[in-house]
Amino acid sequence: MFKIIPGEQGTNHSKKDTVSISSIRDINLVRNPFNLIIDIVIETFHDKKIKIRTYNFLGDLHYKLIVDQYIYPYMTENAKKVWDRKVNLERLRDVARYERKGTKFV
């Protein structure tokens, strides 16, 4: 499906495209209404949209864990703010026992 190379110069590789993690403006999990297949849609700061087919192998919880763990640390501050509005870290902690590094809940 896709491969993530984390790091300051990290990239996200799919069959058709490669996108730098630092150029990601927004990332979403979208269900196609016609064939009901879930796609990861990445929007870049260069107004480019990349769709990555998941073939429904990747659920919502796993998607959020992957993005938060491997992509989020290397995103720009604006992209991080957008992601923070989408993800519920308390739910990830309760369901998947995942805690973002540097984030503590009281």
Side-chain angles (χ1 to χ4, degrees), residues 37-54:
I37 292 178
I38 298 173
D39 296 326
I40 297 173
V41 179
I42 299 173
E43 295 179 36
T44 68
F45 288 110
H46 308 292
D47 295 324
K48 186 176 177 184
K49 270 192 179 179
I50 296 107
K51 290 185 181 181
I52 302 171
R53 274 282 140 101
T54 66

Side-chain angles (χ1 to χ4, degrees), residues 13-96:
H13 299 277
S14 67
K15 283 184 180 180
K16 297 180 183 178
D17 290 306
T18 298
V19 62
S20 169
I21 292 174
S22 62
S23 70
I24 293 174
R25 177 179 20 168
D26 195 9
I27 185 167
N28 292 303
L29 196 63
V30 179
R31 181 175 298 276
N32 184 317
F34 298 111
N35 60 15
L36 303 178
I37 292 178
I38 298 173
D39 296 326
I40 297 173
V41 179
I42 299 173
E43 295 179 36
T44 68
F45 288 110
H46 308 292
D47 295 324
K48 186 176 177 184
K49 270 192 179 179
I50 296 107
K51 290 185 181 181
I52 302 171
R53 274 282 140 101
T54 66
Y55 300 100
N56 297 347
F57 290 125
L58 185 67
D60 185 53
L61 181 65
H62 287 100
Y63 156 76
K64 288 180 180 176
L65 287 170
I66 289 169
V67 171
D68 205 79
Q69 191 170 10
Y70 299 108
I71 296 175
Y72 177 86
Y74 309 105
M75 296 169 99
T76 64
E77 290 304 315
N78 288 336
K80 285 181 179 182
K81 289 177 185 176
V82 171
W83 178 252
D84 285 337
R85 288 192 300 259
K86 292 179 187 181
V87 70
N88 182 346
L89 290 175
E90 290 182 27
R91 182 174 182 270
L92 288 180
R93 182 188 62 189
D94 294 342
V95 174

